Amino acid sequence: MGFQSQDDLINQITTNGKLDTVVYQKTSVAVGQAGHWQHLLNSVGSIPAATFGGSEATFTATDNTWSEGAIAIGDKTSPATKHILSMGAGVVAAAGAPWFILPIDLVGYAKLTTTNVSTTGTKTITMTAISNTAANVDRYANGEGLRLFIGSYSAMGANAPTMQVTYTNSAGATGKVTTAGCVSTASATSGTILNSGNAANKYGPFLPLAAGDTGVKDIESVIWGGTAHASGSVIVGLCKPLCMPIPVPATGLYNMVDFVNTLPSMPRLKNGANVTFLVFGTGATTASATVYANFDYGWN
Amino acid sequence: MGFRTVAQWAASPDSGKWHITTFRKAVASAATVANDFIDYTYFAGNPPANFYASAPLEAALVESIRGINIPAIDGQFLKRITVMSAASSATGTTNQNQRLLLADYLLYYPFVDTDAVGEQQDMIQTAALPRYATGSGVQMMAVAQSAASTVGTFIVSYTNQDGTAGRTSSTTYTKAVAGGGALVSSTTNAVAGSQQFIQLQAGDSGVRSIQSVTFSAAGGGLMCLALVKPLYHFYSTQECRRTTSGNLESYGAASQFETVLHGPPVEIKNGAVLGIVGLGNAGTLASSVLTGILETTWS
């Protein structure tokens, strides 16, 4: 339903109490590499570190009740809809500035470990395609607007293979493939988004979809080419970027974006949203960096 | 197709018709000069450096991999651009207050010899202008491909936006520069200060192709003539850094431009090769890093 006017927004917040505040803080698990994005999912903090306990090469849906750690954002009964009103973020680290912090809704992941990482070739992912039902996993109907990334959750071994993801797009076309030539990062630290980086054939934060595609309905496979990583564990993340990244110019500074009084966009926060944050470091970001973010959301 | 309402524009992230990408360009260690422009595409990072390295004087398309990544979608517009500039050191301040220009890099003619005085250097038309076929609004940019020792003088013969050949640029002066990547064009021979584009013959509004370059005074280096379509002017304000002695202090600012509020929401053509031209204000930009997020949207 949303808000009809500024007056309606004020009334719903102050009279009807339809406002909640979220705080998020993580201590980065490892050094963030220069020019890379980090996912922080396996970093300790509030929310706790995830261990990715799902089955190998199988999509695990995540939502606001994910047992490995999710911000407890309450669902609201339709026709009420939730909207982000403001968001801020900061970083405290001895090095690595400036940063960008991007909020995403992690819809799910598929993990690959051992020989699914240390050998090249096509690694098939088992996944039930995202549909258009009221289930939380279908909160972005047919995967419209969803994006892909490949992130490490252990230190990666030597070598930087090429990587592509084969997927079904939001229109239902199968066998679509992300951009050819995208390379991973050799010996990347834990928590690194491997498709991002500071060189040719790196794309951040997300793998470029095939021409004309605007979403991902089903992850079909990961294709590793070239020389495989010597070791490591990764997830293929499927997520919805929620709004503009928050810029953080230097350590200890805090920036806040108002989604009501600038260009009033008030990004939608779907029921079931599993909100987490990605961080881009211009320089190498010190391990144990503190990344914090907060946002207010209202509903009606 | 464009947008009919601001609400439609604002809702693009929710609708999925939105693309977000990072860029990070580190200026080389050779000093640049205050009030001189630089071509950020020339420097390392992501996207990778664009050295304009191909056969001398032959027209070539700027490779897509050299541009800031965008999706291959028609009817795409620049939604928002956010930039920060990391200082070269904990005390560096010379990268503050940069004037920046986002441009679509189209075609280039590399390795013009700025020492070839009196010789007409004829270009070879091995590629045609992409995306802006008539050349309307397309500008010529002289980019250093080496250090240059002195101020040279040249004119360019080109075909304008109406297809009229034999048009002649204003007399243009190169710059003495410490390395490649600096823009080397000015309408005066002053040591300090430069201009982004080579001034066209009166009445012209764009360039379709370049026929030749003739130097009347030697510049002591090599340069490339690039044809670009200027898209969006923006700024980076305070440098980003943290002091390491005395009272520890953090400095920095992010500059964010929502185009529908802060300037025209320009169209990004399908296949555009996006790069940034910068103008240092306070001194050298050497070893500073320009980092940012570019967002596009479509209806």
Side-chain angles (χ1 to χ4, degrees), chain B residues 208-223:
Chain B
R208 188 176 299 184
S209 63
I210 296 173
Q211 274 70 62
S212 66
V213 177
T214 304
F215 271 80
S216 56
L222 294 167
M223 70 178 193

Side-chain angles (χ1 to χ4, degrees), chain A residues 197-267:
Chain A
N198 187 37
N201 296 310
K202 304 294 275 181
Y203 302 94
F206 306 119
L207 286 156
L209 302 181
D213 286 356
T214 57
V216 177
K217 184 182 175 76
D218 187 9
I219 304 171
E220 299 172 6
S221 66
V222 174
I223 307 167
W224 298 107
T227 304
H229 278 294
S231 60
S233 302
V234 305
I235 60 164
V236 183
L238 183 63
C239 70
K240 172 71 171 65
L242 290 175
C243 56
M244 54 160 286
I246 313 294
V248 180
T251 182
L253 300 186
Y254 172 83
N255 260 349
M256 188 169 183
V257 176
D258 179 342
F259 293 108
V260 178
N261 296 300
T262 52
L263 181 66
S265 55
M266 290 184 276

Side-chain angles (χ1 to χ4, degrees), chain B residues 139-214:
Chain B
Q139 298 291 325
M140 287 187 287
M141 199 166 73
V143 184
Q145 289 186 284
S146 71
S149 55
T150 188
V151 175
T153 310
F154 67 97
I155 55 170
V156 180
S157 177
Y158 63 93
T159 297
N160 72 6
Q161 75 287 343
D162 295 326
T164 305
R167 306 293 286 175
T168 304
S169 73
S170 294
T171 297
T172 303
Y173 298 88
T174 63
K175 310 286 298 181
V177 294
L183 267 56
V184 286
S185 58
S186 174
T187 52
T188 77
N189 62 358
V191 172
S194 68
Q195 286 157 294
Q196 279 172 300
F197 305 124
I198 295 168
Q199 190 167 326
L200 305 182
Q201 185 169 334
D204 287 354
S205 61
V207 177
R208 188 176 299 184
S209 63
I210 296 173
Q211 274 70 62
S212 66
V213 177
T214 304

Side-chain angles (χ1 to χ4, degrees), chain A residues 51-74:
Chain A
T51 56
F52 303 106
S55 300
E56 178 77 8
T58 302
F59 183 77
T60 299
T62 63
D63 62 16
N64 57 339
T65 64
W66 186 29
S67 62
E68 295 196 25
I71 297 173
I73 299 171

Side-chain angles (χ1 to χ4, degrees), chain A residues 37 199 202 240 244 251 282, chain B residues 13-14 18 22 24 46 250 256:
Chain A
W37 287 83
K202 304 294 275 181
K240 172 71 171 65
M244 54 160 286
T251 182
T282 301
Chain B
D14 277 355
W18 174 53
T22 322
R24 179 192 187 279
N46 183 265
S250 291
Q256 183 175 79

Side-chain angles (χ1 to χ4, degrees), chain B residues 27-298:
Chain B
V27 180
S29 57
T32 66
V33 179
N35 298 315
D36 275 6
F37 286 93
I38 64 164
D39 178 358
Y40 270 105
T41 74
Y42 200 87
F43 299 110
N46 183 265
N50 167 36
F51 292 128
Y52 301 104
S54 57
L57 307 184
E58 289 188 11
L61 301 176
V62 182
E63 297 171 288
S64 61
I65 196 174
R66 309 293 171 190
I68 298 168
N69 177 251
I70 52 168
I73 289 175
D74 289 328
Q76 192 172 184
F77 291 82
L78 178 64
K79 176 173 173 57
R80 190 160 42 213
I81 190 162
T82 309
V83 286
M84 296 181 282
S85 179
S88 59
S89 71
T91 56
T93 60
T94 55
N95 58 318
Q96 63 184 238
N97 299 330
Q98 291 179 55
R99 175 187 169 192
L100 301 166
L101 168 68
L102 181 72
D104 185 353
Y105 283 60
L106 304 167
L107 191 74
Y108 68 95
Y109 302 83
F111 299 114
V112 174
D113 182 355
T114 70
D115 276 339
V117 174
E119 173 187 337
Q120 178 175 302
Q121 297 182 68
D122 291 327
M123 305 300 170
I124 302 164
Q125 308 303 327
T126 41
L129 196 66
R131 298 187 286 285
Y132 300 88
T134 66
S136 180
V138 173
Q139 298 291 325
M140 287 187 287
M141 199 166 73
V143 184
Q145 289 186 284
S146 71
S149 55
T150 188
V151 175
T153 310
F154 67 97
I155 55 170
V156 180
S157 177
Y158 63 93
T159 297
N160 72 6
Q161 75 287 343
D162 295 326
T164 305
R167 306 293 286 175
T168 304
S169 73
S170 294
T171 297
T172 303
Y173 298 88
T174 63
K175 310 286 298 181
V177 294
L183 267 56
V184 286
S185 58
S186 174
T187 52
T188 77
N189 62 358
V191 172
S194 68
Q195 286 157 294
Q196 279 172 300
F197 305 124
I198 295 168
Q199 190 167 326
L200 305 182
Q201 185 169 334
D204 287 354
S205 61
V207 177
R208 188 176 299 184
S209 63
I210 296 173
Q211 274 70 62
S212 66
V213 177
T214 304
F215 271 80
S216 56
L222 294 167
M223 70 178 193
C224 165
L225 291 174
L227 298 184
V228 302
K229 177 68 168 72
L231 295 176
Y232 191 79
H233 286 279
F234 58 112
Y235 294 85
S236 167
T237 55
Q238 188 176 47
E239 78 284 353
C240 299
R241 62 189 174 94
R242 171 78 166 172
T243 60
T244 54
S245 61
N247 293 325
L248 301 184
E249 296 162 331
S250 291
Y251 296 87
S255 300
Q256 183 175 79
F257 299 83
E258 174 83 43
T259 61
V260 80
L261 297 176
H262 304 125
V266 290
E267 183 179 1
I268 308 291
K269 300 275 192 186
N270 197 345
V273 181
L274 297 180
I276 293 171
V277 176
L279 173 65
N281 162 266
T284 180
L285 300 178
S287 302
S288 68
V289 181
L290 185 72
T291 189
I293 298 275
L294 185 140
E295 299 167 64
T296 59
T297 186
W298 54 95

